[in-house]
Amino acid sequence: MSVTVISESSNGALHPVTAQLVGAASSLGGSITVICPGGVGSSDAANIAGVTKVISVEGDCFESYDCVAWSKAISPLVEGDLVLSSSSAVGRDLASSIAASMGVPVVQDVTSLTEGFSATRPIFSGKAIEEVGISSPCAISLRANSFESAGDGGNAEVSSVNVSQDITVAVKQALAKASERIDVSEADIVISGGRGMGEPANFSHLEEVADILGAAVGASRAAVDTWGEIPHSMQVGQTGKTVTPNLYIAVGISGAIQHLAGMRSSKFILAINKDADAPIFGVADYGIVSTWEEALPVLKEHLSDLLSN
Amino acid sequence: MGVAVLLKQVPDTTAKISISGDRVDEASITKWSISPYDEYALENAIKLKESGFGDVVAITCGPSRSAKCLTEAAAVGADRLIHIISESPLDSIQVQSLLSAAVKESGCEVVMCGKQAADTNSGSTGPGLATTLGFSCVGGVTEVSIEGGNASATRLGPSGLEQVEVAVPCVFTFDKGDSELRRPNVRGIMMAKKKPVDVFSAEDLGVDVGDSMVEIKSHSSPPEKKPGQKFVGSDSIPEVVSKLREEANVI
Ligand SMILES: Cc1cc2nc3c(=O)[nH]c(=O)nc-3n(C[C@H](O)[C@H](O)[C@H](O)COP(=O)(O)OP(=O)(O)OC[C@H]3O[C@@H](n4cnc5c(N)ncnc54)[C@H](O)[C@@H]3O)c2cc1C
Ligand SMILES: Nc1ncnc2c1ncn2[C@@H]1O[C@H](COP(=O)(O)O)[C@@H](O)[C@H]1O
């Protein structure tokens, strides 16, 4: 069995989910090749325990994102029977395109994987879980925070490959830069605000808590739709992003079914809402009935006390 | 010229999904709709047609019930309707080979679809289909305009919101945008009922789909959560913070 892992990057560095992909690959046994698109994070990838070798694939086509061009550059380097990527937007694109070029099936957003392969994944926005049997060769994308990370201490050889793949998608203008903040779908902790935040400027209170925790900031659709300052990229829910952090903090969010669809499989949920009957309390592990105006300053103080020690 | 729009029929997003035996109980689903992101693809395709680009060809692949989403598309302006009949669940390769044969049949070089279907939540079809057809692919777009052989699209990519240019042929996968979705008027609904649907089987399209390489073993309900603990007032916060560390182990 040999597995090819497509590494994930964010803001020009290796994303920690890559170690989770390697962890999942290790549990299947066999050799593990990590391909780093654009060469991003290749030396960090080589340090992940269990990695057999790293291929840093470089070329002009990696300067901006073009899914088919990237996949054409990467596909010839794929070795073995299984391609693993993260279930981020780019990870899913690459898994599908590489699978299609190899003529093999792809299964996305897998949350558990055993040899052979048997995989489970949420469907219908988490309203049901599907278990599938899939034979290799195939491509599978894995949901972040669902697999144990491989440790470090690896010492894999890194080779560079230069490709001259043409790019067909040209970026003409950046309209809004991606937030420097960590994306909700990638974070271990997410703190989201809803219409109960009153006005968009109050999201700064959520950002302060997020900074203490190293968390991402998300929002409900009501917040995104009401306030232009809150971009759709922050929206959690059925028509936004699906998140599975270790901790999800919902502040001033009522807990409509469409919001729950995007966050209910978080490991732990903390809700802060002034209405004791808000449906969000039905899914919260810890619910605090309070206004955010009262709760957030106290929360901030106690978290920073705890985390600075 | 023309735009092919891929529409998948899915349980309405408000539908309750229940499990019977070890499968999602389709019979209990009372309302089926066009998958939400596909509606934005359809809206943009109709706008392109209004700007003089060419006909809108709506394509769906699925069981007989899915013909309804073609009629709904016709009611808001789709010109040609293609239904690929398939009764059993298909894997990604099978779906893509059927859809690519239908796109070829339509002659369209611009394909618009959803970034993710509301049932599978996969996001496989757009990039996979583009690869199969040898088209370019731009994902997560909210707006596409076309002039000559060049398309200009607004997309939310890994580096943020961008204006990109791409040569046709291309597949665009749509995200929810700001555009208002049009609703059919009475005349549209009447005309749509009379619009013929071109029905194809896999054989008609010359596709040998073979066996699915992905076997669905079971469906189950998501695990129930144990009831949570509720606290009143901000005085409880020190206790909750310590529980987050000691009990939940998440901070
Ligand atoms: C097809 C469809 C798709 C949808 N997709 C999504 C989606 O992806 N994501 C999503 O979130 N929604 C989605 N929705 C919308 C969803 O139905 C709700 O309307 C939305 O989630 C409500 O957002 P909210 O909880 O922020 O606002 P509200 O429902 O207005 O709730 C505000 C909450 O804040 C509390 N509050 C008010 N003031 C304070 C205060 N000072 N301190 C503390 N609490 C306070 C209130 O008690 C209330 O519970 C979708 C709807 C449809 C029909
Ligand atoms: N059976 C189908 N018939 C028509 N379009 C489809 C079908 N399956 C997927 N699509 C299109 O591809 C998009 C992504 O689907 P998926 O890859 O299943 O998430 C959908 O939103 C549709 O636009």
Side-chain angles (χ1 to χ4, degrees):
Chain A
M1 168 92 214
S2 49
V3 183
T4 296
V5 168
I6 311 295
S7 75
E8 180 80 10
S9 64
S10 72
N11 293 327
L14 194 71
H15 189 278
V17 74
T18 309
Q20 297 168 17
L21 301 177
V22 173
S26 301
S27 72
L28 302 170
S31 68
I32 301 170
T33 302
V34 179
I35 298 182
C36 297
V40 178
S42 52
S43 55
D44 288 336
N47 289 334
I48 302 174
V51 175
T52 317
K53 68 174 178 193
V54 174
I55 304 176
S56 164
V57 47
E58 293 155 34
D60 294 344
C61 70
F62 291 104
E63 300 211 337
S64 60
Y65 182 56
D66 178 342
C67 129
V68 174
W70 285 31
S71 132
K72 278 187 185 163
I74 296 167
S75 294
L77 305 171
V78 167
E79 290 174 21
D81 322 298
L82 173 63
V83 178
L84 285 183
S85 68
S86 125
S87 67
S88 67
V90 172
R92 285 179 199 238
D93 279 3
L94 294 178
S96 336
S97 181
I98 292 169
S101 68
M102 294 166 65
V104 303
V106 58
V107 177
Q108 307 275 14
D109 205 21
V110 162
T111 50
S112 80
L113 180 64
T114 55
E115 265 168 89
F117 306 105
S118 179
T120 57
R121 57 189 230 95
I123 53 173
F124 298 107
S125 311
K127 291 186 202 168
I129 309 291
E130 178 170 83
E131 185 187 359
V132 296
I134 176 169
S135 50
S136 62
C138 62
I140 296 178
S141 72
L142 303 182
R143 187 179 274 208
N145 300 335
S146 301
F147 294 85
E148 253 343 288
S149 293
D152 47 20
N155 185 18
E157 178 200 332
V158 181
S159 59
S160 296
V161 175
N162 266 287
V163 290
S164 55
Q165 183 59 50
D166 284 338
I167 196 144
T168 59
V169 180
V171 177
K172 288 290 154 189
Q173 195 189 350
L175 301 173
K177 251 180 74 99
S179 158
E180 301 274 300
R181 296 199 147 269
I182 168 166
D183 190 85
V184 287
S185 52
E186 295 175 352
D188 288 336
I189 301 180
V190 175
I191 179 166
S192 293
R195 185 149 44 197
M197 293 306 293
E199 52 176 293
N202 290 333
F203 270 65
S204 64
H205 298 281
L206 302 176
E207 286 170 8
E208 287 168 25
V209 176
D211 288 340
I212 301 170
L213 290 169
V217 179
S220 72
R221 170 153 162 195
V224 171
D225 284 357
T226 316
W227 302 311
E229 294 88 340
I230 313 287
H232 179 58
S233 58
M234 280 169 65
Q235 184 179 319
V236 172
Q238 190 177 285
T239 42
K241 288 181 177 151
T242 305
V243 301
T244 39
N246 289 325
L247 176 62
Y248 186 85
I249 309 176
V251 187
I253 293 180
S254 58
I257 182 82
Q258 296 90 356
H259 188 79
L260 302 187
M263 48 63 81
R264 72 180 316 154
S265 45
S266 305
K267 283 213 181 79
F268 284 90
I269 296 167
L270 165 63
I272 300 173
N273 195 303
K274 69 173 184 186
D275 172 9
D277 296 324
I280 191 75
F281 289 124
V283 299
D285 300 278
Y286 306 105
I288 301 174
V289 183
S290 165
T291 64
W292 64 261
E293 288 93 334
E294 275 183 36
L296 289 184
V298 189
L299 183 66
K300 238 181 291 178
E301 184 193 322
H302 283 270
L303 286 175
S304 48
D305 280 356
L306 182 71
L307 296 171
S308 58
N309 287 332
Chain B
M1 278 306 210
V3 186
V5 187
L6 311 183
L7 302 174
K8 186 167 194 196
Q9 193 187 41
V10 298
D12 193 79
T13 52
T14 56
K16 190 171 175 318
I17 301 293
S18 51
I19 310 287
S20 157
D22 57 4
R23 287 289 184 281
V24 165
D25 182 14
E26 289 210 351
S28 73
I29 294 163
T30 46
K31 191 173 176 207
W32 295 82
S33 308
I34 296 174
S35 189
Y37 295 125
D38 306 5
E39 293 199 85
Y40 292 95
L42 176 61
E43 176 62 36
N44 202 120
I46 295 170
K47 282 211 186 99
L48 277 181
K49 168 175 126 168
E50 287 167 348
S51 74
F53 184 69
D55 280 358
V56 173
V57 182
I59 303 175
T60 194
C61 169
S64 348
R65 62 166 156 74
S66 26
K68 180 172 150 261
C69 62
L70 296 176
T71 316
E72 284 168 14
V76 289
D79 301 283
R80 191 183 163 203
L81 312 177
I82 297 182
H83 187 175
I84 313 162
I85 295 279
S86 161
E87 299 293 341
S88 54
L90 301 169
D91 69 25
S92 60
I93 289 292
Q94 293 174 309
V95 175
Q96 289 161 25
S97 54
L98 290 170
L99 291 175
S100 79
V103 169
K104 280 186 196 146
E105 209 280 337
S106 76
C108 295
E109 296 203 315
V110 175
V111 179
M112 299 189 164
C113 66
K115 75 164 183 181
Q116 219 172 63
D119 54 353
T120 65
N121 305 145
S122 285
S124 301
T125 308
L129 185 68
T131 308
T132 308
L133 287 166
F135 289 13
S136 298
C137 181
V138 183
V141 304
T142 51
E143 216 180 306
V144 176
S145 58
I146 301 180
E147 217 162 297
N150 277 310
S152 169
T154 309
R155 76 161 175 197
L156 188 61
S159 358
L161 195 65
E162 298 171 329
Q163 191 71 42
V164 301
E165 247 178 49
V166 61
V168 168
C170 186
V171 175
F172 298 93
T173 80
F174 275 75
D175 203 337
K176 172 184 179 288
D178 296 330
S179 40
E180 197 65 43
L181 298 174
R182 70 192 69 201
R183 295 292 156 212
N185 55 30
V186 176
R187 186 166 165 271
I189 294 172
M190 296 310 290
M191 301 275 283
K193 283 194 179 138
K194 290 191 224 126
K195 192 158 252 92
V197 176
D198 297 335
V199 181
F200 294 99
S201 65
E203 297 79 69
D204 297 335
L205 290 167
V207 177
D208 175 10
V209 287
D211 292 329
S212 171
M213 288 185 277
V214 179
E215 176 211 353
I216 298 171
K217 290 184 171 169
S218 71
H219 290 149
S220 54
S221 297
E224 285 287 331
K225 285 194 83 148
K226 68 173 198 311
Q229 308 169 37
K230 209 157 160 188
F231 306 85
V232 178
S234 56
D235 294 347
S236 63
I237 285 178
E239 187 186 348
V240 174
V241 167
S242 80
K243 279 173 182 283
L244 287 174
R245 165 148 297 181
E246 308 297 335
E247 212 172 70
N249 231 326
V250 288
I251 56 172

